[in-house]
Every structure is written in structure tokens, then in C-alpha cells.
Amino acid sequence: MEDHRPMRIGIVGLGTVGAGVVRLLETNEALITRRAGRPIVVSAVSARDRTKDRGIDISPFAWVDDMNELARRDDVDVVVELIGGADGPALSLARVALGAGKPLVTANKAMLAHHGMDLAGLAEKAGIPLKYEAAVAGGIPVIKGLREGAAANEISRVYGILNGTCNYILTTMERDGSDFGAVLEEAQRLGFAEADPTFDIDGIDAAHKLSILASLAFGTQIDFAGVDIHGIRNVTADDIREAAGLGYRIRLVGMAENDADGLFQRVRPILVPTDHPLAHVGGPLNAVVAEGNFVGSLFFQGAGAGEGPTASAVVADLIDVARDEYGDPFAMQVAHLLRQPKADSGNRVARTYLRFMVQDRPGVLAEIAAAMRDAGVSIESVIQRGAREDGSVLLVVVTHHSAESAIQTMLKSLAGSESLTSDPMVMPILN
Amino acid sequence: MEDHRPMRIGIVGLGTVGAGVVRLLETNEALITRRAGRPIVVSAVSARDRTKDRGIDISPFAWVDDMNELARRDDVDVVVELIGGADGPALSLARVALGAGKPLVTANKAMLAHHGMDLAGLAEKAGIPLKYEAAVAGGIPVIKGLREGAAANEISRVYGILNGTCNYILTTMERDGSDFGAVLEEAQRLGFAEADPTFDIDGIDAAHKLSILASLAFGTQIDFAGVDIHGIRNVTADDIREAAGLGYRIRLVGMAENDADGLFQRVRPILVPTDHPLAHVGGPLNAVVAEGNFVGSLFFQGAGAGEGPTASAVVADLIDVARDEYGDPFAMQVAHLLRQPKADSGNRVARTYLRFMVQDRPGVLAEIAAAMRDAGVSIESVIQRGAREDGSVLLVVVTHHSAESAIQTMLKSLAGSESLTSDPMVMPILN
């Protein structure tokens, strides 16, 4: 390795992940040099606040106030973007770096979900790597798993638990029987959820990641706008308990399928059978399943966020670059990525969990059952629990395999009914 | 892609996997061409019997009787070795191919376990790829996961379920309560076990794979001779039932650890807590866990054998070669792989399951308890079940954390005791 010059990186963004990358490169320096075939050294850094205590010594690195200047420095071979955000400074930096012929390593799922194709085009034109293992599922090498490991397969479906905050909340609700609001507050106190948790709990973060996975799995262009997004705010302790009684656990799952109908992409809470690996993914872990026509079902699990795991993925990318082992960012030339139409979710067929909160009076079950009959939705099982303090009654219906369009027709016919005390909760059951 | 010449491969060995590779390349031809950036085509094949019906049409390919001649053909850019066996024809072919400057893709774990360092040296000297994703855990991209995905980490431990036949047998015993012999016979009838099952059920196949994983995980030379190997023949229906009662499942686990003590490598049945992901790996599936100092615990699961999954891994390797994305076979130059001494297993500390079959007479428990006390082995729990038809009694002891050397001392002091009606079964509990 003595005959190889160090690969010099410039890091933009010194938050948790940026500091983690510095710490990792220091801690595992000797090993990384052996594995990468040459040293990987930090030469320059840029962040908002030079004086902030990050628990790392940044004095050996050049400090650059203007991040775009950092990307153009002669002593920066590779730019590591860790500031986040779909547009703004991150996007500008990415364009400057790739435009200057500098390989780019990023953890920025939002930017890739919105501008991944453009950026991949720039990288392709310059013949340089754009790497983003840390953008999806933290430390789990699932970008590599799809781009390379499963590359021989036509993939029919890719899905998984892509947001650790939501999984922490759902599995804590499951464990403690507590309500969403209380667990969210606790998660915020413990640092598992942001002060503004919208991106996480409303499913947007998972949707960013799903759109990237779908592109890799199917050889299609990233279509973030085509992702249907539902978060976990409406999942109740009742839902989790009733699901458990039926043999299921509730998980926020991002799922993408590609078939004759087009590209289906959705993030939503669903019921997962307890004998499915996703049912055993607890706390802030992430997991991804890919189903290929030759390999069958592949399952990857690990830490989806946090300093160490995310830094691990960033440095794995850097090692690939140092080894000169890289190629088209989205597994093929951008021109070969297909633009698929969005599939009509109404055609999707699944057994479905429906939870109604209803008035405690005669005729309510008859009304709901009639609406289901009229829509052609066939009932597999019904559970009704006695009245609550507020007088409402919990009614859970599991349907036989039904088209979502039929479920929607049924729900529309019940909309505005005085029998319902709140909006019904609808969750498909994973099959 | 029009401007790229096809990559032409020669396949040696047309058994299940070889035929699967041909079938996969045909079925997914268009997709593979997009992903690889150029077509991957079979130009020549070689096998023992030209006339055998394999369910594939080999007439478009040149048939070559002499496999070494195939490796030297001008129309073969890459050699795919699928004949198996540690030495003999496979090894000769590998040397001829690499010597002729031809990239080699192989599924041959036995050959790599015994000659991986030599072959990697040849590939390194020639600057060509030696790829072997299919050699470990079938379709699961775990070679790539360790070599690249987890490359930034110092890995302390890698372990997993590496033999599908054993896992099928153990999980079938678990499900049906049946004995090893009966399930093995059934597995042979169903094609899940070979007519001569020795390599699988005695742990040798898993040991081959473990030695490869250990090299990648720790940056050490492959040391197959350093693997302690125990199979599953002595696992009884009693063991599985008692383990279940204690909250565990029995799995054949290959485990490697690297620490100040040296390199520890062992294949043996162990007890896995039911809340551990390995406990949910059923049937012929494989799974691997890698523990890194930054990424934490990574878990990979999928089909560990069979035509489709193994072909998927072989073709993934071919795509890497076609994309020109490859490097040192064992993640670093062979000269940088450390030669670690074998760790003394006696220093290993674990809670341990001990199963004794003993005489139904006074004093037996006292004798065993005294032996444990004298060896300094502390008892966590004891289960004794009433006498069997043959008059023997089942006695299960779970120890507190104990050094294996103490357990061995204790067993030695009991050796030859008339109280025991058969050899005790010893299984560490995974922690």
C-alpha cells in the first residue's frame, strides 16, 4: 500500500454523521488503509459553526467557510456531503462537486429522491462516482445489495422498514400498550425523534428512501412524486392490540412493486404476520426485503440511523471509491432507466384490516355490513368490543382478499354516516 | 450499451447450478444487459456427459471435452467453475484459467477454504478478478456485504447458519418432535440432503464457508485447519424440546471471533435465544450476522442453496466483472492478510447447556453436581425428567457463565462414570 497516495476527502456538514465519519476514519485507520489499498484522510471540512464542540479535533483539517470552495480545492479528491435537505446548499454543493469532476459521497435521501437522476447524469458524464449507501437504511448495505448483490434478478417487489423513529414508536406502543402521543413524546425526550417529527412520522423520510430502492430494484427512474404516503399518527393502541390478537404486528412499511400495471410505491402502516421477519424488527432497526425471480427472498437488517452505522455506510462508499470499484450510480446508465407510469392502487388486492369506532346503538353493524356487501367486500372476521367511556364501540373487520377500489367504494358509502364516531383506519395485511 | 462488446463466458460443470446459470442468463437477458452495461453470453461449456438431459439447450454453445482447453479458448473471456471439490479438476481448472489471465467465477467453497490464498495470489498477480459470491450462503450477497458493505468496520464476530441441510433437519425436528435419523431420511427422500450427507451434517461444508467469512471479516488468511467442527448427529428430539422449554432453539452455527487470544473458528450446534433473528431462520434458509465496531449488528438472510439462488450469486459476480467493478478477492492484497494463531477455545466463556442420560438410581445427581462444583462450574438451572423405558433418566443442566476449560475438566472427571448411560451433549448458549 506504500505505493498508493492517500485519498483526500472534504467533509461538508459536521453534525452527528460528519463527526462520526471523522471518528471512524481515525479509529479504524490501519484497517481501512489495508482494505482500501491506501489511506483515506480528511483534508478539509466545512460546516456552519467553526467553534461548536463536536467531540472531535478538527484542527488538523483545513476549515473552509464556503462549501463550494471546498469542493474545488486541489487537496480534496472526494467530496462528502452530509448537510441534508432536498435542495439549497446540499444540491448546489453536489452540482459543484460533480461539475468539478470530484466524486461525491452523500447520505442525502431527500436530495436523491428529488434530484437523483440529474445528479447521476452529471456523474455519468464526468465518469466519476456518486455514492449514497448511507441514504437508505443507515448502516445496512442495501444499496449495494440491490445494485450489485441482486443484480442478476428481475425484482418483483422491494419493501421494508425504512424509518427507525416510526419503528421505535410502533414497537414501543406494542410493548407498553401505550398511545401514539405518549410514545412520541418519550421518543423525543430520548432523542429517537426530532423536535419536529413530521418527516419521520408522516412517512416522508421513508418515501424518499423507497423511491431510491425502487429505482435500483426495477431499473426505473426515481419517481418520488409517485409514492403514496401515509404516516403512523392514526395508529392507536387498540389497533396494535387487535392486530396482535389476530396474529399480526403493525409496521410502517415502504413497498414498491413493478408489474404490467405500472410502478406501485407506497409508505403506510400495514399488518405483518408474526412469522414474517419484519415482525421481529424491533426498536429503531431497519430492514429490507427484496424478491427476485431467481434468488427468491433476500432479507437485510441492521441499524437504520445513528452516528456509527451511518458513518459506516459513508466510509464503505469511500472505500469503494479508493478501490476504484464503482460504476453507474443507479446500476445502469440514466438513459436506460425506464419511466414507468404510476400503478392504480385500486387494483391492488389484499386481505385488509378495518377499524371502526362506532356509536353504541342498534343497526350500526348492519349498516357497515351492508356497505361492505354492496361494495363486494367479503368479510373474513369481525371483532366488536363493548362500549368505551365515551360511549363508542370498537369494531374491527378483516376482509377476505379484496381490491382496494372496493374498500374505497365501501368507505365512501359510509362517509358522513352518523354511526361512525371517527374516520375508519384501513391497513392492508402483508402477503 | 450498443458500443460494448458482449462478455463471453465458458461454464465448466453443468449440474444444477450450471444449468441454472444458463437459464438465468437467458430468462433475464435484457435486464442483465442493461445492468451489466453489455450482454453476458455463454460461448462454451464443458461437463462430463455431453448427452445428459439438463432441461436446457446447450447446442448454441461450443462443447469442449477438455475443461482446461475451454479456459484457454479465445472466445472465453471469463471462466465459471461449477464442478466442486477442493482439489482435482476444479483446482487444476482454476489455476489454468487464472494463469491464462482469465477472470474466474466459482461457487467452490471447498477449493477456496483449502487453496483460496494461493488462487487469490494468482488473481492478484494477473490483476484479474477471482469472484466467489455463490460459495457462501447461496444467493445471499454476504461476501459482498463483508468485503465491501461492512469494510469500514473492525469486525469482532461473524456467525451464522451456513448449511441449509442441517437447518432443514433441525427445524423439522423442532416442528415435528421427530428424531434426527427419521428426519435425515425424509430430507434425503425430498432432495434436501445428499445420499452421502457427511459433508453437510458433520459440519464440514459450513466450516468451509466459515473459514472464508472469517478471512473477509478480520483481514486474516483463510485457516480452514483452524476450524473446530462438530455436526448435528448427536442432537436429539429431547435436546430440542428441552431447549424450547428454556426459551431457545438449536441451530448449527458457524462462528468466528478475532481478539487478543487469536482467531476462534467453530461450527457446532448451539442454543439460540428465541428473540434472536437466527432463531427465526427456518427450513433450508441461511443467515449471517456480522458485528462491527461502528455499524453494530448486520443481519443477512436468504436461500442458501438451490439452482436459482446460487445462479443468482454466480451471475451477480459476472455482472461485477462485466462492469469492471472488482478488486482483491479477499478485500486486500494477500500479503496484507494477517496470519492469526488459533485461539484456545478453553478460554471461551458462555452459559452452557449440558444434557446427560443417567442411571435411575440414588447419588447420580450428587455425583454430577460434585463434578461441577470441583471444576468451578456454577449451575443456573437443572431439569430432571422421569425414567424412560430403558431405565435411563434425562438430566439437563444450564450453567452460569463458565470457561469451556472448566466444562471440559468437569466432563473429564465424569468420563467412564457408570452413572452415565451415554456421552453428555454440550452446547454453548449464544450471547
Side-chain angles (χ1 to χ4, degrees):
Chain A
M1 70 190 92
E2 294 70 24
D3 49 318
H4 286 297
R5 287 194 311 178
M7 186 174 87
R8 299 161 304 175
I9 68 170
I11 301 177
V12 179
L14 288 174
T16 310
V17 179
V21 169
V22 171
R23 207 167 283 131
L24 196 169
L25 288 171
E26 260 175 42
T27 310
N28 292 350
E29 185 185 352
L31 187 66
I32 288 171
T33 303
R34 283 163 67 211
R35 288 213 178 111
R38 51 179 170 150
I40 298 176
V41 300
V42 181
S43 54
V45 295
S46 179
R48 257 185 306 216
D49 178 359
R50 184 169 186 170
T51 57
K52 189 176 165 190
D53 181 11
R54 301 171 167 96
I56 52 167
D57 177 14
I58 59 168
S59 66
F61 319 135
W63 176 273
V64 187
D65 283 316
D66 176 351
M67 62 176 78
N68 293 341
E69 191 191 312
L70 175 142
R72 295 196 193 92
R73 283 172 69 98
D74 285 341
D75 63 355
V76 169
D77 301 317
V78 179
V79 175
V80 179
E81 184 276 304
L82 299 172
I83 46 182
D87 303 283
L91 183 61
S92 156
L93 172 69
R95 287 184 173 144
V96 168
L98 295 170
K102 298 287 171 78
L104 180 70
V105 173
T106 177
N108 191 332
K109 50 224 123 190
M111 179 175 75
L112 291 169
H114 288 279
H115 307 287
M117 300 293 91
D118 286 354
L119 296 175
L122 291 177
E124 191 178 308
K125 212 161 65 181
I128 54 175
L130 162 62
K131 303 271 298 175
Y132 53 90
E133 185 63 78
V136 181
I140 312 171
V142 67
I143 298 298
K144 191 172 279 289
L146 287 176
R147 184 187 177 280
E148 300 157 34
N153 291 268
E154 176 138 347
I155 303 214
S156 52
R157 181 158 85 150
V158 63
Y159 61 101
I161 293 170
L162 301 173
N163 184 275
T165 303
C166 288
N167 207 58
Y168 173 83
I169 292 174
L170 290 173
T171 57
T172 303
M173 289 172 71
E174 191 177 291
R175 189 194 62 201
D176 300 345
S178 21
D179 273 315
F180 173 78
V183 177
L184 172 60
E185 266 177 45
E186 189 206 337
Q188 286 173 313
R189 210 168 44 244
L190 294 171
F192 285 117
E194 309 272 347
D196 176 1
T198 304
F199 258 51
D200 290 318
I201 66 175
D202 289 338
I204 301 160
D205 173 76
H208 287 148
K209 296 165 178 167
L210 180 66
S211 70
I212 296 168
L213 291 182
S215 169
L216 286 166
F218 309 134
T220 50
Q221 294 195 27
I222 289 180
D223 180 19
F224 174 67
V227 186
D228 292 337
I229 312 177
H230 309 257
I232 63 168
R233 286 184 201 265
N234 299 326
V235 177
T236 64
D238 284 336
D239 290 326
I240 288 176
R241 199 189 49 248
E242 296 301 335
L246 292 160
Y248 302 99
R249 292 183 184 152
I250 297 177
R251 295 287 184 270
L252 183 73
V253 169
M255 177 177 291
E257 288 188 88
N258 192 33
D259 58 28
D261 249 24
L263 178 61
F264 171 81
Q265 301 177 92
R266 180 159 66 189
V267 172
R268 78 173 303 161
I270 67 171
L271 269 60
V272 176
T274 47
D275 64 356
H276 188 287
L278 286 187
H280 301 280
V281 178
L285 290 179
N286 279 201
V288 174
V289 180
E291 294 171 356
N293 65 340
F294 276 75
V295 77
S297 187
L298 286 176
F299 179 71
F300 303 84
Q301 178 183 301
E307 175 182 322
T310 312
S312 167
V314 168
V315 177
D317 278 349
L318 290 170
I319 293 173
D320 276 351
V321 175
R323 285 170 167 169
D324 214 21
E325 298 178 16
Y326 62 85
D328 297 322
F330 291 92
M332 63 186 73
Q333 290 175 36
V334 175
H336 290 151
L337 293 167
L338 308 176
R339 179 164 275 297
Q340 280 289 78
K342 180 175 171 173
D344 179 358
S345 65
N347 295 337
R348 295 182 56 79
V349 171
R351 294 170 58 242
T352 304
Y353 167 99
L354 299 159
R355 179 255 301 157
F356 302 93
M357 298 303 298
V358 299
Q359 301 278 5
D360 187 13
R361 64 176 192 207
V364 171
L365 183 57
E367 183 185 347
I368 291 175
M372 297 188 77
R373 177 200 61 210
D374 294 347
V377 174
S378 163
I379 295 174
E380 182 183 299
S381 57
V382 176
I383 298 161
Q384 182 176 327
R385 306 274 179 202
R388 306 293 161 102
E389 283 171 25
D390 66 358
S392 68
V393 168
L394 177 82
L395 180 67
V396 168
V397 178
V398 175
T399 74
H400 283 296
H401 280 90
S402 305
E404 293 201 0
S405 55
I407 304 273
Q408 290 307 320
T409 301
M410 181 269 292
L411 291 173
K412 243 177 244 164
S413 78
L414 286 173
S417 160
E418 285 178 6
S419 302
L420 306 188
T421 62
S422 66
D423 286 340
M425 180 70 174
V426 183
M427 289 185 279
I429 298 176
L430 180 66
N431 55 25
Chain B
M1 73 189 89
E2 293 71 24
D3 49 317
H4 285 298
R5 286 194 311 178
M7 186 173 87
R8 300 161 303 176
I9 68 171
I11 301 176
V12 179
L14 289 174
T16 310
V17 179
V21 169
V22 171
R23 207 168 281 132
L24 196 171
L25 288 172
E26 260 176 41
T27 309
N28 293 350
E29 184 185 352
L31 186 67
I32 289 171
T33 303
R34 283 164 68 212
R35 289 213 178 111
R38 52 178 169 148
I40 298 176
V41 299
V42 181
S43 55
V45 294
S46 178
R48 255 185 307 216
D49 179 0
R50 184 169 186 169
T51 58
K52 189 177 165 188
D53 181 10
R54 302 171 166 96
I56 52 167
D57 177 14
I58 58 168
S59 66
F61 320 134
W63 176 272
V64 188
D65 282 316
D66 176 352
M67 60 176 78
N68 293 342
E69 191 191 312
L70 176 142
R72 295 195 193 94
R73 283 172 70 98
D74 285 341
D75 63 356
V76 169
D77 302 317
V78 179
V79 175
V80 179
E81 182 277 303
L82 299 171
I83 44 181
D87 303 281
L91 182 62
S92 155
L93 172 68
R95 288 184 172 144
V96 168
L98 295 170
K102 300 287 172 78
L104 180 70
V105 173
T106 176
N108 191 335
K109 50 224 122 190
M111 180 175 73
L112 291 168
H114 288 280
H115 307 287
M117 299 295 91
D118 285 353
L119 296 174
L122 291 176
E124 191 180 309
K125 212 162 65 181
I128 54 174
L130 162 62
K131 303 271 297 174
Y132 52 90
E133 185 63 81
V136 180
I140 312 171
V142 67
I143 297 298
K144 191 173 281 289
L146 287 176
R147 185 186 176 279
E148 300 157 34
N153 292 268
E154 176 137 347
I155 302 210
S156 52
R157 181 159 83 150
V158 62
Y159 61 101
I161 293 170
L162 301 173
N163 185 276
T165 302
C166 288
N167 208 58
Y168 172 84
I169 291 174
L170 290 173
T171 58
T172 304
M173 289 172 71
E174 192 175 289
R175 188 193 63 201
D176 301 344
S178 21
D179 273 314
F180 172 79
V183 177
L184 172 60
E185 266 177 43
E186 189 205 339
Q188 287 172 314
R189 212 169 42 243
L190 294 170
F192 286 117
E194 310 273 347
D196 176 1
T198 303
F199 258 51
D200 291 317
I201 66 175
D202 289 338
I204 301 160
D205 173 76
H208 287 147
K209 296 165 178 168
L210 179 67
S211 70
I212 296 168
L213 292 182
S215 169
L216 286 165
F218 309 132
T220 49
Q221 295 195 27
I222 289 179
D223 180 18
F224 175 67
V227 187
D228 291 337
I229 312 176
H230 309 257
I232 62 169
R233 286 183 201 264
N234 299 326
V235 177
T236 63
D238 284 335
D239 290 325
I240 287 177
R241 198 188 51 249
E242 297 301 334
L246 292 161
Y248 301 98
R249 292 183 184 151
I250 298 176
R251 296 288 183 269
L252 184 72
V253 169
M255 176 176 292
E257 288 188 88
N258 191 32
D259 58 28
D261 250 24
L263 177 61
F264 172 79
Q265 301 177 93
R266 180 160 65 190
V267 173
R268 78 174 301 161
I270 67 171
L271 268 61
V272 176
T274 47
D275 64 357
H276 188 287
L278 286 188
H280 301 280
V281 178
L285 290 179
N286 279 199
V288 173
V289 180
E291 294 171 355
N293 64 340
F294 276 74
V295 77
S297 186
L298 286 175
F299 180 72
F300 304 84
Q301 179 183 301
E307 174 181 323
T310 312
S312 167
V314 168
V315 177
D317 279 348
L318 290 169
I319 293 174
D320 276 351
V321 175
R323 286 170 166 168
D324 214 20
E325 297 177 17
Y326 62 84
D328 297 322
F330 290 93
M332 63 186 72
Q333 291 174 37
V334 174
H336 291 150
L337 293 166
L338 308 176
R339 178 164 277 296
Q340 280 289 79
K342 180 175 172 174
D344 179 358
S345 65
N347 295 339
R348 294 183 56 78
V349 172
R351 294 170 58 244
T352 304
Y353 166 100
L354 299 160
R355 180 254 301 156
F356 302 92
M357 299 303 297
V358 298
Q359 302 277 6
D360 187 14
R361 64 174 192 208
V364 171
L365 183 57
E367 182 184 349
I368 291 175
M372 298 187 77
R373 178 200 61 210
D374 294 347
V377 175
S378 160
I379 295 174
E380 181 184 299
S381 57
V382 176
I383 299 161
Q384 181 175 327
R385 307 272 179 204
R388 306 293 161 102
E389 282 172 25
D390 68 356
S392 67
V393 169
L394 177 82
L395 178 68
V396 168
V397 177
V398 175
T399 74
H400 283 296
H401 280 90
S402 307
E404 294 201 1
S405 54
I407 303 274
Q408 290 307 322
T409 301
M410 181 268 293
L411 291 173
K412 242 176 246 164
S413 78
L414 286 172
S417 160
E418 284 178 6
S419 301
L420 307 187
T421 62
S422 65
D423 285 341
M425 180 70 171
V426 184
M427 290 186 279
I429 298 175
L430 180 65
N431 55 23

